[in-house]
Every structure is written in C-alpha cells, then in structure tokens.
Amino acid sequence: VCFDAWISLRGGAGSSEKTNMLRQVRGFLEAHGDGRFAMHHRGADDHAPKTLNRVGVLRILNEDGQPIKTNSQHAVEYGDRMPSAMGETVSYEYFILSEAMAEVCKGYDIRAVCAVLVEFGCLVTKVPGRFNIKTTLPGFGACRCYHITPAIFDLDL
C-alpha cells in the first residue's frame, strides 16, 4: 500500500529524469517568458521595451497556429493592445539562443534534454542529429537557436 501510494505521488513508475528535464525547461519558460525573451513582432520597433539578460525571442501564434511576425500583422489581428479574451486564443513559441540553452537546461546535459524535448514533440529540428536550427530572428539576423513549441505547456507533468 505504501509503495503504491509513493508511486502515485511520484507520478508513475517510469523514469523521472525525463519528466524532470521537461519540468526544468517549462519552469524556465514560465518564470522568464515575459522578461527574458524579446517579442518577435517588435524586433524592428525602436520603441519596444528593452529585454535585459535576453535568452531568446518569443513569437505569438494566432488561434490557427500561424506566427505573428510583424507589428502590422499584430495590429490587423489584435489592434494596438490585445484584449484579454483574445489572449486566451494565442500561444507562444520560443527561440532560445544557442549559448543561453545551457542556462535553460541547468543541471542537465543539453543534448539529453533536447532529445527528450524532441521525443515529446516540443523541439523543432531540421537536420537529423542536430537539435538547434538555423533561422533568421529580428535583431539577430541569421543565427542558431533552439525552437521550443507551445506543446511543452500541454504536457501532463
């Protein structure tokens, strides 16, 4: 009875290391999503708030899952300020800069964390065996980063 209660409290009999890795990344995004990620659609906006200790770029996805890439596209879909009711229909994807991924995965091997993220459908890859992608980000140009999908928030951890 005690063992079954412990397994239930623990979240199951499987390996907890994968769950802990996913919690590490998701916890970082939950704690720092607004403060340490620059908004993609405001990349060319010289009046955008400064992002201190930036670790990457945050991009809004509309309710159809399509990215909002520019201020004008944001204005057409949501106006100058997004109403809170509309905010419930959007999701976010994260582009974590290569050098910052060590901080996001603190305490774990980056490659191991990325393999788990891929396994759970939370990391976009383009080349087999390579976890970071080459893309163009506003304010950075062409760069390598890790592309985390909104699926990480849907996981039952």
Side-chain angles (χ1 to χ4, degrees):
V1 172
C2 291
F3 180 74
D4 289 339
W6 175 75
I7 290 292
S8 178
L9 184 65
R10 182 178 180 274
S15 170
S16 64
E17 188 171 36
K18 288 182 179 181
T19 301
N20 290 339
M21 288 177 180
L22 293 166
R23 283 182 175 151
Q24 170 70 25
V25 175
R26 187 164 77 182
F28 186 92
L29 299 177
E30 289 171 352
H32 302 290
D34 287 340
R36 299 197 53 200
F37 289 86
M39 294 298 290
H40 187 282
H41 70 279
R42 296 197 65 188
D45 184 350
D46 61 349
H47 296 295
K50 300 292 180 224
T51 306
L52 302 177
N53 298 313
R54 179 175 48 197
V55 293
V57 174
L58 170 68
R59 185 163 69 183
I60 299 172
L61 301 175
N62 66 17
E63 68 181 311
D64 297 324
Q66 299 302 312
I68 304 299
K69 295 183 176 181
T70 64
N71 252 349
S72 58
Q73 186 181 6
H74 185 276
V76 167
E77 292 214 30
Y78 306 109
D80 189 34
R81 293 179 185 244
M82 184 185 305
S84 59
M86 292 181 99
E88 295 174 5
T89 66
V90 302
S91 57
Y92 298 96
E93 58 186 352
Y94 298 82
F95 296 88
I96 300 170
L97 301 170
S98 288
E99 297 301 322
M101 192 63 167
E103 182 181 354
V104 174
C105 299
K106 189 174 183 176
Y108 296 98
D109 176 72
I110 293 172
R111 292 191 59 77
V113 172
C114 288
V116 171
L117 289 168
V118 168
E119 178 183 341
F120 283 83
C122 301
L123 181 69
V124 174
T125 60
K126 294 181 180 177
V127 177
R130 183 160 206 152
F131 296 116
N132 60 8
I133 62 168
K134 189 168 190 177
T135 191
T136 302
L137 295 176
F140 293 97
C143 66
R144 288 210 159 272
C145 62
Y146 296 86
H147 182 177
I148 308 288
T149 70
I152 195 161
F153 297 106
D154 294 333
L155 298 175
D156 188 21
L157 301 176

